[in-house]
Amino acid sequence: MVSGFGPALRGWRERRRLSQLELAIRAGTTQRHVSFLEGGRSIPGRGLVLRVAESLELPLRERNGLLLAAGFAPGFPETELDDPSLRPVLDGMRRLLDGHRPYPAIVVDRYGVLVARNDALDLLLEDVAPELLEEPVNTLRLALHPKGMAPRVRNLADWARHILERLTQEIAHAPDERLTALLTELEGYVPAPGPPGPDHLGFAVPMRLSTSAGELRLITAITTFATAADVTVSELKLETFLPADAETAAILTR
């Protein structure tokens, strides 16, 4: 309903730490108009809602939510992954996965659920409990669960910090009950993080993983579809694992 737009707008603006004037300048309107919108004294047009959502850098799912709060239909489709219209996207991602071999790579959705992978991931999944590999497979749970990869991660405290901080940042950017529940679950698998250890490099935390082929030192890079106009596609992430040293590269190449 329209009456829900004002509180939603104010909530997002405050979450982004913007003043009414800053948001007005970004959205091409006036501070007075933003104030009236938040107070329910003005009814926004669809175009203004979209401009405001873009100015707030909202993900597509949240832009749809703001449109609904203003009384408009969602502006961005949310297509099922098995829909034929997404085949070119998934085919392109599979080519990227294959092209990244011999290094592991995965495609996940917003909640870390595995969508696709290459066969180089097999080495990382040694000794993982079978029940964690039953679909839908959650890669974040795989990483930190005591029956997952965690027992073989030699710097678990640093690696867990990396995962939990990244998830916390995503929730701060776009609050989501399911993500929050997942974060709470993951936090229960690892000890409370202490000060960063010697392997903590800030932007790139190498994971040290024991495998049957030797210890791997891996860093990750994440790619997203920044210009996607579909909610499902916009939430897909291509996560590639890169060797942090020559020994790891040699092991994976063999």
Side-chain angles (χ1 to χ4, degrees):
M1 296 177 61
V2 175
S3 60
F5 177 78
L9 175 59
R10 183 185 303 110
W12 280 114
R13 178 180 61 78
E14 292 176 349
R15 191 171 288 114
R16 294 293 188 262
R17 298 182 179 180
L18 295 174
S19 67
Q20 290 182 343
L21 178 59
E22 289 172 322
L23 178 58
I25 293 172
R26 290 187 181 189
T29 185
T30 66
Q31 180 181 359
R32 179 184 177 89
H33 196 187
V34 171
S35 177
F36 278 18
L37 289 172
E38 292 186 353
R41 298 173 64 185
S42 291
I43 298 176
R46 183 181 179 86
L48 179 59
V49 175
L50 289 172
R51 291 205 313 274
V52 166
E54 183 175 359
S55 300
L56 291 167
E57 300 180 351
L58 299 189
L60 298 191
R61 183 180 298 278
E62 282 66 32
R63 296 188 191 195
N64 278 345
L66 203 58
L67 283 167
L68 286 169
F72 297 106
F76 304 94
E78 184 175 356
T79 310
E80 296 293 332
L81 282 171
D82 57 0
D83 190 286
S85 65
L86 291 190
R87 185 171 300 166
V89 175
L90 296 179
D91 286 347
M93 282 199 156
R94 290 190 179 97
R95 284 193 289 272
L96 289 173
L97 293 175
D98 291 340
H100 195 66
R101 297 169 64 199
Y103 307 143
I106 58 177
V107 176
V108 299
D109 69 9
R110 180 180 191 177
Y111 303 102
V113 174
L114 186 66
V115 173
R117 48 163 283 189
N118 65 16
D119 56 7
L121 190 70
D122 291 343
L123 191 59
L124 276 60
L125 301 181
E126 289 181 333
D127 300 326
V128 168
E131 60 265 26
L132 293 179
L133 298 176
E134 295 177 0
E135 295 187 0
V137 177
N138 189 286
T139 57
L140 299 175
R141 187 177 292 117
L142 274 180
L144 299 184
H145 196 283
K147 294 183 179 180
M149 296 165 56
R152 295 184 293 115
V153 178
R154 299 191 62 181
N155 60 335
L156 181 59
D158 280 335
W159 184 245
R161 176 196 296 272
H162 165 68
I163 293 176
L164 297 177
E165 287 182 352
R166 190 176 72 188
L167 192 54
T168 299
Q169 291 169 0
E170 290 182 13
I171 293 171
H173 184 72
D176 183 285
E177 291 183 2
R178 182 176 168 187
L179 273 182
T180 300
L182 179 61
L183 175 61
T184 299
E185 175 191 343
L186 298 178
E187 288 174 334
Y189 295 145
V190 295
D199 289 330
H200 193 286
L201 302 182
F203 74 99
V205 180
M207 174 177 64
R208 298 175 53 200
L209 183 70
S210 297
T211 74
S212 60
E215 181 181 310
L216 303 179
R217 291 174 56 88
L218 299 164
I219 58 176
T220 60
I222 297 177
T223 303
T224 60
F225 287 91
T227 58
D230 183 279
V231 174
T232 301
V233 177
S234 72
E235 293 178 347
L236 292 179
K237 300 175 185 176
L238 171 67
E239 185 163 1
T240 53
F241 293 82
L242 303 167
D245 55 34
E247 291 77 13
T248 297
I251 290 172
L252 292 172
T253 300
R254 288 198 300 270

